[in-house]
Amino acid sequence: MVKIIKTPDEQPNDAIERDLVTALYDDSFGGVLVSIACASALFLIFGDDPVLGEFKLYWFIAFMLLLTIRLLDTSYWHKNLRGTSYAFLQAKRRFISMAALSSFAWTTYAITIVDHASWLELSMTIIILASLAGGSATVLSGNRTLGVCYSFLLIFPMSFLMAIGEDPNKNVLGYLGLFFSLIMILGSWRTAAFTRNAIVTKNQNTDFVKALADKNEEILAVNADLENKVRLRTKEIFELSNIDPLTGLFNRTAFSKSLGDIISLCQSQARGFALLFIDLDGFKAINDTQGHNVGDKVLVAIAQRITLFANGAGHVCRWGGDEFIVVIEDLDEGEAVEFGRDLIASLSQHIKVDSNKLSVGATIGVAMYPRHGSDETELISLADTAMYIQKEKNKADVSVFTHEMRQSQIREQQIKEGLALALQKNEFHLVYQPVIDNESKEVSFCEVLLRWRYRGEMVPPHEFIPIAEQYGFIHDIGEWVLMEACRESSSWIFDDHVNISVNVSVSQLVRADFIAIVQNALVSSGFSASNLHLEITESMFESNVDMMLERIRALQGLGIKVSVDDFGTGFSSLSQLQKLSADIVKIDRSFISSMATGGQAIIQATQYIAKELGYSVVAEGVETKAQADELADIGIQCSQGYYFSYPMPIAELTDWYQKFKKS
Ligand code: C2E
Ligand code: MG
Ligand code: MG
């Protein structure tokens, strides 16, 4: 068997090896049939040989047997292995072994007859073998070693023997054969190399096409992944810009757009809807006392309740902080109010956060489409107004927008605009209302009250002060009041013991610079701190009480007296009053006017507590002699009211005082 020698460049991948074996088998039928034809021709012409006849017969039979096996092997290959990923090594070994045996058969034949054959037989044999060698260069090009060896074995041994023989004619034929053998070896070598290159190139192309297909698949996969990522990112961006991250509800932007769509739809179908603007009550306190983490959990729970309550029928949005909006289609006004009240009841139930049970309330304003407006911004603003007005009036209830509300909103807007310029335009002035000591019948102090003339109209403080507080104007206005009161009363007709009492809003008091502002007013006017009272409404107890205490102590440290104004209207507890250690308690005028119907008991109780805690008590809103006498009888230290005097400009105080002293 021919040993197959492989050089490193002949060890490529299996596909190339298999293709080379395929090249061998593909041409095998033709090669074997040519061999059969040649061997048969030689046997028929020269088989009848007296010397070598027997050898030729056996050789012919053996060779035919070998060639038949090769034919069977070739047809087996064609039938079963061609085009499959067959075990090429076995097929290759079979083919090479049998082809090698064929070449040995020819060599044996040639070298056996060389000495005995006639000139004609030799010539014919060498021509046939040379042709076979020539054909083998192509037919066996699938294996270079086999191709080269085959050509070599077919011609070389016979030619060599002829070349070294004694017959000069045979010598010439031998040389020719040797030369031919050399050419055939080179031809086989080159044809095999060419075939191999072609197969390698074909396989590289296949690899390249496969690599291309793989790359293509890879690109498709990357593309699909990219598309997925883009889809996810788009969803994320949509959620970021449309969904409130805390509650998962629509945010302002998304809701305004969606409301626009709802309006268009309802318009085309001639339907209506109710827009409910929900504002939580008491949420700020939870945030302040329990922290933002707990506040967030409360908001999430509220959002879930609203969504559940709307039961998929409504469009829900977190409008901001603790404000939510629900839109419910096909509700009339009465149904909307009922829905709102039920919703408030649901929202007001306990919310369990960790181990705490918390509760918030809600106030709701309603605007109806199309009755109140047909534009999303307008409807939201109207419902917000209704909510805001309801909240001022009475929390935890529902209010439907009315046109009076619009008027009051317009009025508020005008006041707000007016307040912004009022100081600059010198529109404020102060009036003074004396407070009388019930025992000595002397003026104890005068309360300073602010007056505003705006566009020729006197706007009452109860109307403009809350707006000034809400929009922050109160700080500059309050500072002006303090300065002006100290300045005006520095040179007034009263003795030193008559003090002035200036009203201060809670929002002024909580500002860090408040004490400095008071000091500045005192220093710049030369007014004595011991002649100054500051009145702070009872609502201060709704703020941070510890901070209030600290401020009040600081003021008292300067020598200023502090009054709790409108006492009885708020929710201050007696313990808070005790903690506060103010100097004066002013009983709200509602108790004085209702003295005959139960107010007296409250006045007496307040007087009793104040006495125990060491406060002075002032009764506000004393309008009649009877009230004044009764209050004096109860033991109330001071009284203030229209019975003694209306608030008046400082210039009128002198006249009033002259008359008062005479009376
Ligand atoms: P207040 O501090 O309780 O002032 C007493 C209010 O009762 C004054 O109303 C006064 O005119 C009124 N009044 C006095 N005696 C009687 C009476 O016998 N009967 C009736 N019905 N009313 C009487 P005014 O001046 O309209 O002030 C209302 C509120 O506005 C004040 O209530 C005070 O809370 C606030 N305010 C007034 N001026 C200022 C100020 O300069 N700064 C701040 N922050 N608030 C002020
Ligand atoms: Mg007051
Ligand atoms: Mg008062």
Side-chain angles (χ1 to χ4, degrees):
M1 189 194 277
V2 175
K3 179 134 177 34
I4 308 214
I5 304 156
K6 290 179 180 166
T7 55
D9 67 332
E10 285 175 327
Q11 303 255 9
N13 58 41
D14 291 355
I16 294 176
E17 283 301 322
R18 193 173 292 110
D19 280 355
L20 287 168
V21 176
T22 301
L24 290 175
Y25 271 104
D26 265 347
D27 292 333
S28 179
F29 268 130
V32 174
L33 288 176
V34 167
S35 288
I36 289 174
C38 293
S40 304
L42 283 175
F43 182 70
L44 282 175
I45 301 168
F46 304 109
D48 189 15
D49 188 327
V51 184
L52 296 173
E54 206 175 339
F55 161 76
K56 285 182 180 172
L57 177 67
Y58 290 134
W59 176 85
F60 182 67
I61 292 167
F63 194 43
M64 283 305 126
L65 205 66
L66 174 66
L67 293 177
T68 309
I69 295 170
R70 283 188 69 188
L71 279 178
L72 289 174
D73 179 48
T74 305
S75 50
Y76 168 80
W77 180 88
H78 269 280
K79 215 169 152 210
N80 299 308
L81 306 180
R82 196 178 203 286
T84 66
S85 300
Y86 60 94
F88 62 87
L89 214 61
Q90 283 176 6
K92 180 178 167 179
R93 278 178 191 152
R94 268 200 323 273
F95 186 93
I96 289 175
S97 320
M98 286 189 282
L101 275 177
S102 302
S103 65
F104 276 122
W106 280 121
T107 306
T108 311
Y109 180 85
I111 56 177
T112 308
I113 65 154
V114 76
D115 283 339
H116 306 281
S118 64
W119 174 250
L120 177 70
E121 186 180 356
L122 274 181
S123 303
M124 270 200 64
T125 306
I126 205 157
I127 287 167
I128 284 174
L129 290 182
S131 310
L132 282 174
S136 76
T138 315
V139 171
L140 302 179
S141 66
N143 189 290
R144 188 162 60 195
T145 317
L146 178 66
V148 168
C149 290
Y150 195 90
S151 304
F152 174 80
L153 284 174
L154 244 60
I155 323 173
F156 189 84
M158 183 190 182
S159 305
F160 181 71
L161 289 177
M162 284 198 288
I164 59 167
E166 285 164 8
D167 185 341
N169 289 330
K170 284 186 184 174
N171 289 155
V172 174
L173 210 56
Y175 293 142
L176 253 175
L178 284 176
F179 177 69
F180 201 69
S181 155
L182 198 71
I183 299 295
M184 281 301 108
I185 288 167
L186 277 174
S188 290
W189 182 279
R190 289 179 65 184
T191 315
F194 178 79
T195 302
R196 185 178 186 83
N197 276 345
I199 287 174
V200 167
T201 311
K202 176 207 148 213
N203 272 281
Q204 277 173 346
N205 276 348
T206 312
D207 285 351
F208 182 64
V209 169
K210 192 173 173 301
L212 256 182
D214 288 352
K215 261 276 156 312
N216 206 26
E217 244 168 57
E218 223 173 86
I219 289 169
L220 282 177
V222 168
N223 268 353
D225 191 43
L226 244 169
E227 271 174 33
N228 215 20
K229 276 188 182 148
V230 168
R231 209 174 302 124
L232 278 176
R233 200 44 59 82
T234 314
K235 190 166 167 262
E236 267 172 33
I237 290 170
F238 171 83
E239 288 188 351
L240 270 179
S241 54
N242 290 278
I243 303 291
D244 169 51
L246 180 66
T247 59
L249 297 178
F250 267 170
N251 63 15
R252 271 182 192 227
T253 329
F255 181 73
S256 299
K257 195 181 157 296
S258 141
L259 185 58
D261 296 342
I262 298 168
I263 291 174
S264 311
L265 190 75
C266 284
Q267 198 171 24
S268 66
Q269 298 174 348
R271 288 163 62 203
F273 64 78
L275 185 143
L276 287 86
F277 195 104
I278 306 158
D279 187 90
L280 300 183
D281 300 330
F283 175 73
K284 191 178 174 298
I286 290 184
N287 238 1
D288 289 349
T289 56
Q290 313 274 327
H292 286 250
N293 239 350
V294 174
D296 282 355
K297 287 181 183 165
V298 169
L299 286 175
V300 171
I302 291 288
Q304 282 168 352
R305 280 189 196 174
I306 297 176
T307 311
L308 206 71
F309 206 84
N311 196 20
H315 310 266
V316 184
C317 141
R318 182 179 176 207
W319 188 245
D322 61 349
E323 296 168 341
F324 298 85
I325 294 180
V326 180
V327 167
I328 312 255
E329 289 160 32
D330 306 318
L331 278 194
D332 65 24
E333 213 172 289
E335 289 166 337
V337 172
E338 206 176 307
F339 178 90
R341 290 206 173 120
D342 291 345
L343 179 58
I344 291 173
S346 158
L347 298 184
S348 308
Q349 285 179 11
H350 287 306
I351 295 168
K352 224 171 156 240
V353 177
D354 305 327
S355 55
N356 292 339
K357 272 185 178 174
L358 302 169
S359 59
V360 288
T363 304
I364 297 180
V366 181
M368 304 297 298
Y369 171 86
R371 197 156 70 82
H372 295 139
S374 54
D375 165 85
E376 58 265 26
T377 318
E378 189 189 11
L379 282 166
I380 293 171
S381 148
L382 300 181
D384 185 16
T385 304
M387 181 282 298
Y388 173 76
I389 289 172
Q390 177 60 46
K391 204 159 211 173
E392 290 208 316
K393 206 166 61 182
N394 196 5
K395 286 179 179 172
D397 206 352
V398 183
S399 187
V400 180
F401 176 79
T402 61
H403 289 282
E404 291 74 55
M405 286 180 182
R406 198 198 293 269
Q407 292 310 313
S408 97
Q409 202 184 27
I410 293 169
R411 170 85 174 158
E412 183 177 320
Q413 185 61 26
Q414 284 171 346
I415 289 179
K416 186 181 141 194
E417 284 165 15
L419 280 175
L421 299 170
L423 275 175
Q424 203 181 319
K425 289 184 168 176
N426 246 332
E427 291 173 341
F428 291 120
H429 71 273
L430 301 179
V431 290
Y432 296 78
Q433 186 175 35
V435 177
I436 313 300
D437 187 307
N438 285 331
E439 214 172 297
S440 64
K441 304 292 177 202
E442 269 294 335
V443 176
S444 174
F445 61 90
C446 289
E447 177 168 7
V448 181
L449 294 159
L450 181 59
R451 293 292 176 260
W452 180 34
R453 182 181 292 277
Y454 176 51
R455 294 178 176 171
E457 174 204 358
M458 292 303 297
V459 184
H462 68 78
E463 192 178 5
F464 75 81
I465 294 282
I467 297 171
E469 286 173 345
Q470 190 185 345
Y471 296 102
F473 300 123
I474 195 68
H475 303 288
D476 288 347
I477 295 173
E479 189 174 349
W480 179 86
V481 172
L482 261 169
M483 297 280 274
E484 185 67 0
C486 291
R487 189 188 63 78
E488 281 190 331
S489 48
S490 295
S491 52
W492 69 2
I493 47 134
F494 297 114
D495 307 332
D496 259 1
H497 68 270
V498 178
N499 303 331
I500 58 164
S501 189
V502 177
N503 290 285
V504 170
S505 295
V506 174
S507 55
Q508 284 176 265
L509 190 66
V510 296
R511 283 266 290 246
D513 57 354
F514 181 69
I515 308 285
I517 288 171
V518 176
Q519 280 177 313
N520 182 36
L522 293 171
V523 170
S524 59
S525 62
F527 194 82
S528 163
S530 58
N531 289 133
L532 180 65
H533 295 191
L534 294 179
E535 295 189 13
I536 306 147
T537 59
E538 202 188 9
S539 63
M540 72 174 124
F541 293 112
E542 291 164 23
S543 303
N544 183 339
V545 177
D546 291 334
M547 197 243 273
M548 287 293 155
L549 263 176
E550 184 201 305
R551 291 283 146 85
I552 287 168
R553 298 247 161 82
L555 290 169
Q556 288 171 329
L558 296 175
I560 296 165
K561 290 195 179 64
V562 175
S563 310
V564 180
D565 203 357
D566 304 339
F567 185 72
T569 53
F571 301 96
S572 53
S573 69
L574 290 175
S575 70
Q576 280 173 320
L577 192 63
Q578 182 187 10
K579 211 169 156 191
L580 197 66
S581 68
D583 302 283
I584 299 158
V585 171
K586 295 184 81 178
I587 303 175
D588 190 70
R589 69 166 182 266
S590 57
F591 300 105
I592 315 306
S593 61
S594 64
M595 268 209 295
T597 54
Q600 194 195 30
I602 292 167
I603 296 166
Q604 271 173 331
T606 312
Q607 164 66 17
Y608 178 75
I609 297 158
K611 207 169 159 193
E612 289 296 305
L613 298 176
Y615 299 144
S616 299
V617 178
V618 175
E620 293 185 296
V622 181
E623 293 183 347
T624 63
K625 184 172 181 328
Q627 287 170 343
D629 292 344
E630 201 172 340
L631 289 163
D633 288 348
I634 293 170
I636 300 294
Q637 198 178 333
C638 297
S639 291
Q640 171 186 4
Y642 296 160
Y643 171 66
F644 301 104
S645 164
Y646 285 96
M648 64 196 111
I650 199 159
E652 293 171 21
L653 263 178
T654 316
D655 274 359
W656 172 83
Y657 191 48
Q658 305 296 337
K659 283 182 206 152
F660 176 73
K661 272 182 47 188
K662 281 185 200 154
S663 66

